[in-house]
Amino acid sequence: MDSRHVVIGSQDDKFGCTVWDLSGFCLHNFGKDIAKLRVNDLAISPNGQRLVILSESSIIVFDFDSYEKIYEWQVDDVKLMSVTISQDSRHMLVSMSQAHIQLMEIDSGKVIHRFEGHQQKDFILRSAFGGADENFVVSGSEGMLISVLSRPPSPPSRLLFNHMPILTPTKQDSRIYIWRSNGLLIEALDAHAGCVNSVAWHPRDPSTFASAGDDCRVKIWRPLSAPPFPAGSGGSNGCG
Amino acid sequence: MIPEHRLASLLDEVKEGWIERCQYHNTAASPSLYLDHNCTKDDFPTRNALELKHHTDQVVFVQYSNDGSMLASTSKDTTIIIYETKTYNILHQLEQHEKSDVVHLAWSPDDQRIITCCLQPENAARIWDVKVGFRWK
């Protein structure tokens, strides 16, 4: 959301996706133009120009200023789970059932890369971009690991060193998977006792990310070479 | 005739090749040409440095604020916890989603507010002011 408006997506048939201002007034209802829009996930690009909605079987891209639909891609045979948009507002990461993650260009729909290798059967996995320059893709898994993949540079940005790691969605094998953007699986970390539900990379510090699990814990991940946290960290401040 | 900027583009290609082969490349800085470039695993986050045990049920979602100074987590225990990220001490624990699992949250671009949403029976979205920990709407 930008600081003045909020976009809410839901499984409600009438209010599939709505835009509100901060006083509670509904500015726009995307569900009016698209019958039975049930939103699985949505994302707004950092530049505020694009809204991407994942419904049951299609990826829909809207221009956020005019609320007009730009593209819609039907996807058969797989369920769409979550979407994340890169910092440069040009690419999106779509997580799907059957353990696929796709890196796509937002405006053309071109699939730049596919990532596989993690486990996912029944649950929603979220992926994210991470690391310096968004060089990696990180994902959780249905098997207790966190995966980290690294990401290849896309041709137009060859001279800009604009590489982005990709945070892979948390999977149900309790691992976190991290891929580099060229699709190479870098790490598969044993993370939580139980499903890893969400992973978030620190936006300013590329050597830190956090994970959330069914074991009621939030874990902070740092490099081996990093100094330990000061004593007393992670406690309550006493104000409850 | 050598094309213009040929040396510069050749050197850029060398750097691109290094970065592509560098498995743990995790820096936005351009690599130096004085030495062959390789990032080590030691500088890559692979170690669980801190465990935060404040939630009493499954933690569903975590998200850093846009400037990285705060981390918010939502949980099936119906609360949202906001931590500051130097020592990960709790800033606020927000408890007003009554009896409903809080599933998702988003930070406003200026990090002043967060919006959270929850499941049955409340089925609502709430906006919170982060400085005060007060439910705004």
Side-chain angles (χ1 to χ4, degrees):
Chain A
M1 61 188 203
D2 68 13
S3 288
R4 284 168 292 124
H5 302 107
V6 169
V7 183
I8 302 178
S10 93
Q11 302 267 304
D12 184 324
D13 281 357
K14 284 201 223 91
F15 292 102
C17 181
T18 42
V19 184
W20 306 77
D21 73 11
L22 291 181
S23 58
F25 180 69
C26 181
L27 292 169
H28 187 80
N29 182 354
F30 288 97
K32 280 214 200 100
D33 305 319
I34 302 176
K36 293 213 174 159
L37 176 67
R38 309 188 91 215
V39 175
N40 281 348
D41 197 13
L42 63 88
I44 298 185
S45 60
N47 63 8
Q49 282 174 8
R50 294 282 180 266
L51 168 69
V52 178
I53 296 181
L54 296 188
S55 71
E56 295 285 320
S57 60
S58 57
I59 304 170
I60 315 173
V61 177
F62 292 91
D63 179 310
F64 197 57
D65 294 319
S66 63
Y67 300 141
E68 269 176 38
K69 184 165 83 171
I70 299 181
Y71 292 108
E72 179 170 352
W73 295 287
Q74 293 287 337
V75 177
D76 301 312
D77 300 333
V78 285
K79 242 178 96 178
L80 298 168
M81 304 242 161
S82 75
V83 62
T84 311
I85 299 186
S86 63
Q87 282 302 306
D88 65 8
S89 300
R90 283 173 49 208
H91 300 102
M92 57 182 173
L93 213 53
V94 181
S95 307
M96 313 176 175
S97 60
Q98 285 158 33
H100 286 136
I101 306 169
Q102 247 170 224
L103 177 64
M104 301 170 68
E105 238 175 60
I106 291 184
D107 282 342
S108 67
K110 195 169 127 194
V111 177
I112 298 180
H113 216 89
R114 283 205 167 84
F115 300 91
E116 291 166 21
H118 50 296
Q119 283 175 37
Q120 179 275 325
K121 272 200 223 113
D122 306 311
F123 299 98
I124 294 179
L125 305 181
R126 299 190 173 284
S127 47
F129 292 101
D133 246 358
E134 295 190 318
N135 257 326
F136 296 93
V137 165
V138 168
S139 163
S141 139
E142 288 180 15
M144 285 191 278
L145 297 180
I146 299 176
S147 297
V148 182
L149 301 181
S150 76
R151 185 175 151 189
S154 48
S157 61
R158 272 180 72 81
L159 297 179
L160 298 175
F161 302 109
N162 194 11
H163 312 282
M164 291 161 52
I166 305 175
L167 276 180
T168 66
T170 59
K171 288 175 142 198
Q172 302 294 339
D173 68 8
S174 317
R175 287 174 164 176
I176 297 176
Y177 290 86
I178 309 181
W179 288 275
R180 195 136 193 285
S181 37
N182 56 14
L184 185 67
L185 182 65
I186 305 295
E187 286 290 334
L189 305 169
D190 282 299
H192 292 264
C195 296
V196 185
N197 293 321
S198 167
V199 182
W201 212 298
H202 194 294
R204 296 289 153 93
D205 176 6
S207 61
T208 301
F209 66 86
S211 64
D214 275 358
D215 57 358
C216 315
R217 306 265 198 269
V218 174
K219 292 193 181 187
I220 311 294
W221 299 79
R222 303 271 291 135
L224 293 166
S225 58
F229 280 97
S233 294
S236 164
N237 63 358
C239 299
Chain B
M1 279 292 286
I2 297 177
E4 233 176 287
H5 306 304
R6 180 68 179 148
L7 182 60
S9 62
L10 281 174
L11 292 175
D12 282 338
E13 276 185 42
V14 165
K15 288 188 186 177
E16 284 280 336
W18 282 345
I19 290 174
E20 221 173 299
R21 279 191 296 270
C22 179
Q23 240 186 343
Y24 291 102
H25 189 76
N26 193 18
T27 166
S30 180
S32 155
L33 286 165
Y34 289 111
L35 293 169
D36 281 1
H37 173 78
N38 198 29
C39 290
T40 63
K41 186 173 166 175
D42 284 347
D43 292 331
F44 195 82
T46 51
R47 180 175 66 94
N48 177 14
L50 196 58
E51 254 187 55
L52 304 168
K53 303 177 195 171
H54 303 99
H55 281 296
T56 53
D57 202 338
Q58 297 172 11
V59 187
V60 179
F61 191 69
V62 282
Q63 179 86 268
Y64 278 96
S65 63
N66 294 300
D67 62 5
S69 63
M70 293 178 279
L71 174 69
S73 62
T74 71
S75 164
K76 264 180 95 163
D77 67 3
T78 75
T79 67
I80 304 126
I81 300 183
I82 302 181
Y83 303 87
E84 54 82 18
T85 53
K86 284 217 179 67
T87 58
Y88 290 94
N89 285 324
I90 295 184
L91 285 174
H92 300 295
Q93 186 151 7
L94 309 172
E95 287 169 359
Q96 286 188 29
H97 276 288
E98 290 163 33
K99 296 188 193 157
S100 309
D101 306 349
V102 189
V103 290
H104 204 84
L105 72 95
W107 290 86
S108 66
D110 56 8
D111 292 335
Q112 296 293 308
R113 286 183 274 270
I114 57 173
I115 183 170
T116 61
C117 63
C118 63
L119 299 178
Q120 309 267 13
E122 202 195 340
N123 268 342
R126 289 182 193 269
I127 302 183
W128 311 75
D129 181 304
V130 170
K131 273 209 215 76
V132 179
F134 178 70
R135 192 188 92 202
W136 201 66
K137 210 159 171 62

